[in-house]
Amino acid sequence: MTALLGANSPLRRVAIFGGTHGNELSGVLLVKHWEEDAAEVQRTGLQVKPFIANPRAVQKGSRYIDCDLNRVFDPAHLGKETLEDLPYEVVRAQEIHLLFGPKGSKDAYDVILDLHNTTANMGCTLILESSKNDLLIQMFHYIKNSLAPLPCFVYLIDHPSLKYATTRSVAKHPVGVEVGPQPQGVLRADILDQMRRIVQHALDFIQCFNEGKEFPACSLEVYQVMEKIDYPRKENGEIAAVIHPRLQPSLLRGSRLEAAEPRGPRVSHVGWEDHSI
């Protein structure tokens, strides 16, 4: 079974966010480069906007200034009145919401590619916020195949009690890109190259989508967190234990998402188990 993509609703506006966390430097460097020379991210009929999400944190070289920008795109924070003592990231979230949203509206950007680094040895990882987003399932499948034999994993964060209000969630189709391991405040050439390739493949997919290319039905292996388990702590809150060496490598069991046509709820989600500690 095949799906004709983009025949009726092409994607026209894409943003590439770097510096949502100011000490994750691969996205910062790439976005600054594309702001100066956008040739490699331009595609016919597509408006692509590179954007530094948290410029003060980038300048300081820290994750954030007052609070995590990647956690405040919920109605409570976006609806706060602008006051002098409002945390910087909340004010910035409201600015981003106006520039690229409003969230859930027809005027919101079609896609936001939000570029992150991690100190964890996750390799190339794409973050999916809904198992019902057929278009992104097809996009992620395309990116994985384009990167092969380099592994690329998909992390699904649609658990109702664990999902958080991300910067990219302003867009109709939010894409998280996480590449590591890379220390905070450091640049690694191999990690930078992998992130750059992911962005290029994502834009290539969008161009194919807009041109009406047919993509066959596909399935996608994903990893999903089911719960968060804190460390044992002392009465004063200090961590009182470390992970046992036998458990340090996380043991994850995945499921497959199946996509037919990106226009309808045609995704089946099979059970999940997470054995990480």
Side-chain angles (χ1 to χ4, degrees):
M1 184 175 184
T2 59
L4 179 63
L5 306 182
N8 298 318
S9 55
L11 307 175
R12 293 304 183 198
R13 295 191 300 167
V14 176
I16 306 172
F17 283 7
T20 294
H21 296 137
N23 56 3
E24 298 174 7
L25 296 189
S26 296
V28 172
L29 186 144
L30 288 172
V31 164
K32 286 184 175 182
H33 169 68
W34 291 326
E35 285 178 333
E36 295 176 0
D37 182 1
E40 72 175 350
V41 294
Q42 295 305 315
R43 300 294 186 275
T44 302
L46 191 64
Q47 176 188 337
V48 180
K49 183 175 179 60
F51 183 78
I52 295 294
N54 195 335
R56 288 191 191 175
V58 169
Q59 185 177 21
K60 187 178 178 181
S62 61
R63 182 177 176 89
Y64 54 78
I65 300 299
D66 294 320
C67 60
D68 195 333
L69 180 63
N70 210 32
R71 300 294 188 275
V72 294
F73 283 79
D74 56 90
H77 287 99
L78 294 176
K80 286 183 180 292
E81 292 186 24
T82 304
L83 303 171
E84 289 185 6
D85 60 348
L86 209 58
Y88 167 69
E89 276 80 12
V90 174
V91 175
R92 186 62 173 164
Q94 294 177 352
E95 294 171 351
I96 291 171
H97 190 239
L98 289 175
L99 286 170
F100 298 97
K103 184 188 291 193
S105 75
K106 63 180 180 60
D107 296 323
Y109 263 59
D110 294 303
V111 177
I112 292 177
L113 305 170
D114 189 17
L115 309 183
H116 289 265
N117 291 119
T118 174
T119 58
N121 191 12
M122 305 174 56
C124 297
T125 301
L126 302 169
I127 303 176
L128 180 67
E129 298 198 3
S130 172
S131 61
K132 295 180 170 57
N133 193 323
D134 286 355
L135 185 142
L136 290 188
I137 292 172
Q138 290 279 5
M139 177 192 286
F140 289 8
H141 185 263
Y142 179 95
I143 293 171
K144 283 171 63 70
N145 286 344
S146 299
L147 287 172
L150 181 69
C152 181
F153 306 99
V154 177
Y155 180 35
L156 176 65
I157 57 166
D158 69 347
H159 193 290
S161 65
L162 299 175
K163 190 172 182 178
Y164 50 91
T166 62
T167 312
R168 58 189 172 269
S169 65
V170 171
K172 297 169 187 172
H173 303 285
V175 177
V177 178
E178 192 97 40
V179 187
Q182 178 171 281
Q184 297 169 349
V186 173
L187 274 169
R188 280 183 47 174
D190 55 340
I191 300 298
L192 182 75
D193 178 67
Q194 291 167 24
M195 182 177 286
R196 192 175 196 166
R197 290 168 60 191
I198 288 172
V199 171
Q200 291 172 338
H201 293 318
L203 295 173
D204 290 344
F205 170 86
I206 293 171
Q207 184 171 22
C208 291
F209 177 92
N210 288 343
E211 292 172 351
K213 178 179 178 178
E214 292 186 357
F215 293 87
C218 68
S219 63
L220 192 66
E221 184 177 66
V222 302
Y223 295 88
Q224 183 181 32
V225 61
M226 298 302 295
E227 64 177 318
K228 293 184 179 180
I229 302 175
D230 195 11
Y231 288 92
R233 293 181 181 270
K234 301 177 183 179
E235 291 184 1
N236 64 2
E238 291 183 0
I239 293 175
V242 296
I243 297 175
H244 194 280
R246 289 202 304 267
L247 299 178
Q248 187 66 55
S250 295
L251 301 176
L252 295 173
R253 183 176 301 170
S255 65
R256 301 193 74 81
L257 296 179
E258 298 179 358
E261 300 180 27
R263 295 182 191 146
R266 299 173 180 262
V267 182
S268 62
H269 185 210
V270 187
W272 250 104
E273 289 184 49
D274 184 352
H275 299 287
S276 62
I277 300 297

